[in-house]
Amino acid sequence: GPELFGRSFVGREAVREGYQLAWKTFPDASWLDADCFVCGDRGVMESTFSGTKADGTRIQARMVDIFKFRGDKIVVKNAFRKDRPPLQVA
């Protein structure tokens, strides 16, 4: 999204809609080569995002998810992905 931190999904239903939108946009979405760690109430996952849109546009880029936990719940998840041009379809 256009905001400083991108598009936000706040609340259970909005988060559900956000995940549904992600799978609708990239039906074959995958996060490869994941490397994760947790330190206190924070966690990080580095991975390679890969996905193809309905028009055949293919994205592959390194990304990081940063989590904040409260007890056994994720209370904040921020995702950052390199802004890389779509891959050419062969």
Side-chain angles (χ1 to χ4, degrees), residues 42-46 63-69 74 76-80:
R42 303 285 175 141
V44 174
M45 180 179 83
E46 295 178 77
M63 68 170 292
V64 63
D65 284 318
I66 301 174
F67 302 94
K68 184 171 183 180
F69 306 106
I74 297 170
V76 175
K77 176 190 173 289
N78 285 308
F80 301 93

Side-chain angles (χ1 to χ4, degrees), residues 14-84:
V15 169
R16 181 186 314 270
E17 290 172 15
Y19 274 102
Q20 290 173 340
L21 177 61
W23 292 111
K24 182 178 178 181
T25 304
F26 297 101
D28 64 345
S30 60
W31 291 262
L32 310 168
D33 309 319
D35 186 18
C36 306
F37 69 88
V38 174
C39 183
D41 67 348
R42 303 285 175 141
V44 174
M45 180 179 83
E46 295 178 77
S47 63
T48 300
F49 174 79
S50 181
T52 310
K53 292 182 178 181
D55 68 0
T57 303
R58 183 157 178 72
I59 304 291
Q60 191 175 52
R62 289 295 290 168
M63 68 170 292
V64 63
D65 284 318
I66 301 174
F67 302 94
K68 184 171 183 180
F69 306 106
R70 185 175 304 125
D72 62 352
K73 305 286 186 197
I74 297 170
V75 293
V76 175
K77 176 190 173 289
N78 285 308
F80 301 93
R81 186 173 68 205
K82 289 190 176 275
D83 187 11
R84 184 177 180 203

